[in-house]
Amino acid sequence: GPLMNPAYATRFVLGVHDEETLELLRGTVENLPQVQALLLRSETGADQITLSDITYGYHWDGESWTELEITAESLGLRACPPALLDASTPQEAAHLITGILDGAISDPRRDVLLANAGAALWLGGKAADLQQGVQLAADLIRSGSASKYLASLRTASMALR
């Protein structure tokens, strides 16, 4: 994970399942130099932005914490029941991601991807806030850039075999 990354990631989004782990990580993040982080925990225990309930976000800007309550409505997205995200095999998950990035899937599962990609874009400094990150993620999918980037990752991955 980002806390043990040998590349020393200075910006990261990290989801946890429970409040106890979240509090432990908050203390850890505060002691890391030059770090920005977004820690996430949902009401149902998911470790990502879910859009099925409230996701609690804790943004560390390097000096102080800002608490966020993230919902589908607050991001202008559709709610997504957790069962809709179930993928029983890696192939099924890959098909879902590829379908979203190619524009073939535009149901609420796409919105979950937009929310989480938007968080990464925001923390990565590409957007001023989470809402702008969501919009940028949608623009990247619409333009085909996200699909092209995934194809380049596949090519690089295959070259390592």
Side-chain angles (χ1 to χ4, degrees):
L3 297 177
M4 300 297 290
N5 188 329
Y8 188 67
T10 59
R11 297 173 183 233
F12 54 87
V13 179
L14 183 63
V16 298
H17 295 281
D18 59 70
E19 186 71 31
E20 185 179 327
T21 304
L22 177 75
E23 290 305 318
L24 179 67
L25 286 174
R26 281 178 69 158
T28 302
V29 166
E30 289 173 6
N31 290 303
L32 295 173
Q34 301 175 343
V35 165
Q36 288 192 41
L38 178 61
L39 305 180
L40 300 168
R41 180 188 67 81
S42 80
E43 283 187 332
T44 58
D47 61 355
Q48 64 177 340
I49 299 174
T50 64
L51 303 186
S52 62
D53 58 12
I54 297 172
T55 300
Y56 299 99
Y58 302 88
H59 177 234
W60 176 254
D61 65 7
E63 296 179 10
S64 62
W65 289 100
T66 301
E67 294 188 23
L68 309 167
E69 284 194 4
I70 304 164
T71 62
E73 295 79 23
S74 71
L75 298 177
L77 300 171
R78 297 165 287 185
C80 182
L84 196 56
L85 296 174
D86 288 343
S88 56
T89 66
Q91 294 80 10
E92 195 176 314
H95 177 73
L96 174 61
I97 292 168
T98 301
I100 291 170
L101 296 183
D102 288 344
I105 298 173
S106 60
D107 61 26
R109 296 175 294 183
R110 176 182 181 266
D111 290 359
V112 172
L113 184 139
L114 292 177
N116 286 281
L121 290 165
W122 170 39
L123 262 287
K126 300 295 183 187
D129 57 30
L130 180 55
Q131 289 78 6
Q132 282 187 2
V134 168
Q135 287 305 310
L136 179 55
D139 292 345
L140 291 168
I141 290 173
R142 228 181 338 273
S143 72
S145 295
S147 183
K148 288 177 188 166
Y149 187 71
L150 178 60
S152 72
L153 289 175
R154 276 193 191 122
T155 301
S157 170
M158 294 302 203
L160 295 174
R161 286 186 168 191

